Amino acid sequence: MKEKFEQLKNKLNIELKETQNAQTLEDLRIKYLGKKGQITDLLKGMKDLTVEEKKNFGKLINELKTQAVESISKRSEELKQLEIQREIDTMPEFDLSIESKQNFGSYHPITLVQRECERIFTTMGFNVEDYPEVVTDYECFEAVNVPKNHPARDMQDTYYLENGELLKSQTSAAQNAILKKYSKQLIEDSMPIKAIFPGRCFRNEATDASHENTFFQMEGVMVDKDISISNLIYFMKTMLSEVFMRDIKVRLRPGFFPFVEPGFELDINCLICGGDGCPSCNHSGWLELCPCGMIHPEVLKEGGIDPEKYTGFAFGLGLTRLAMMKYRIKDIRDLNSGSLKALSQFTEDK
Ligand code: FA5
């Protein structure tokens, strides 16, 4: 009987080696270990044996069964490896040294100026904050001192959603949340609030060379004791001289925004025409770039900050227009055109 077991074991091993794929292996498993398999049959035959014989054969059959299961699973692993090797062998050869002809794209000019501004402000101790593009009426307007029906709402033709929320028309929509987020550290730890928050804005604009319906702004706020207009001017000057790496002609004039008092318009001398007037600057020689001002006491109060103790400034930099000026792009609409030929001209070191 022992011989019979040995023969069966050898036969199984020979047949195992002949299997070349998962299906033939499965057929073999059924042949030996299936319900009517040869090893299973041996087990069934045990009923006719004496108790002593059962003991001996039982041990042998169990050993055989265990070995069969192990050999089949080992062969299964071998076949998997063979299959992988077969795929590798039939793959076309790759020459990794050949230069790719594919266009991997380039950074968008707005991404480049945004990163540049983030770098400049973070080195001056500002945190960079992200904020959603869909916001509530409260965040975008009421929290920044623009109540319902206030005429200042007409300055921004806003896209409202059916659920009453809206597409952020200005990055000022994040002001209240940022003030609230950092008010504790300002009050308890005497750490100034210094944050910038770039983001995409949407307005139902009639587009022209300097107006888009989808554009980027980068808001900034700083709040502490004794912050004044001088601080605001210092940061604006530093930012512009670092972005353009030379002195740029700017002008500061009074501007009205309900969330600042006093408020200013900061215009840049048009770098496309040098100030002579062209379509990019609406023939005025100047481009509105970065309105700013001292944060209105009501806005501080709404952010949980006592305006009797603290003051701060805020600015709303037109990032898309900054990209236009930095890269001398005559028409803002080119930036949303998706034209790879136009956009791929810009690289990090330009
Ligand atoms: C605002 O959006 C204010 N929230 C800015 C602000 C923040 C003022 C904090 C004071 C304190 P305004 O609508 O002017 O302001 O937009 C700010 C800048 O975004 C503009 O100067 C301009 O550079 C840019 N901008 C505005 N509308 C467009 C547009 N349609 N296309 C491209 N850029 C635009």
Side-chain angles (χ1 to χ4, degrees), residues 170 172 203 205 212 215 217 219 257 288-289 291 316 318 321:
Q170 52 178 353
S172 304
R203 292 183 197 173
E205 297 268 12
E212 254 293 10
F215 56 97
Q217 289 184 344
E219 192 100 348
F257 301 91
E288 283 179 14
L289 184 72
R321 286 197 187 161

Side-chain angles (χ1 to χ4, degrees), residues 209-220:
S210 62
H211 290 86
E212 254 293 10
N213 50 31
T214 305
F215 56 97
F216 283 79
Q217 289 184 344
M218 191 185 81
E219 192 100 348

Side-chain angles (χ1 to χ4, degrees), residues 318-334:
L319 261 189
T320 308
R321 286 197 187 161
L322 187 65
M324 264 180 89
M325 290 295 109
K326 178 157 168 89
Y327 295 110
R328 311 287 196 273
I329 296 165
K330 288 189 182 141
D331 196 312
I332 199 169
R333 289 166 291 197
D334 287 341

Side-chain angles (χ1 to χ4, degrees), residues 120-134:
I120 295 164
F121 279 98
T122 47
T123 56
M124 297 192 289
F126 283 73
N127 292 320
V128 182
E129 294 285 341
D130 198 13
Y131 210 69
E133 288 175 354
V134 175

Side-chain angles (χ1 to χ4, degrees), residues 20 91 110 144 159 162 182 275-277 280 283 317:
Q20 285 307 319
M91 259 163 74
I110 298 173
V144 287
Y159 293 110
E162 277 172 5
Y182 291 107
D276 294 341
S280 309
H283 305 282
L317 171 68

Side-chain angles (χ1 to χ4, degrees), residues 92-153:
E93 274 192 26
F94 291 109
D95 182 349
L96 297 176
S97 63
I98 293 177
E99 214 174 292
S100 167
K101 286 192 186 129
Q102 246 180 305
N103 179 359
F104 289 112
S106 57
Y107 285 114
H108 194 282
I110 298 173
T111 307
L112 294 177
V113 283
Q114 180 180 326
R115 288 185 176 183
E116 177 67 359
C117 290
E118 286 177 3
R119 187 195 61 74
I120 295 164
F121 279 98
T122 47
T123 56
M124 297 192 289
F126 283 73
N127 292 320
V128 182
E129 294 285 341
D130 198 13
Y131 210 69
E133 288 175 354
V134 175
V135 294
T136 60
D137 190 274
Y138 171 79
E139 290 166 296
C140 201
F141 297 120
E142 287 169 61
V144 287
N145 207 24
V146 188
K148 285 202 165 66
N149 305 319
H150 192 287
R153 290 206 179 199

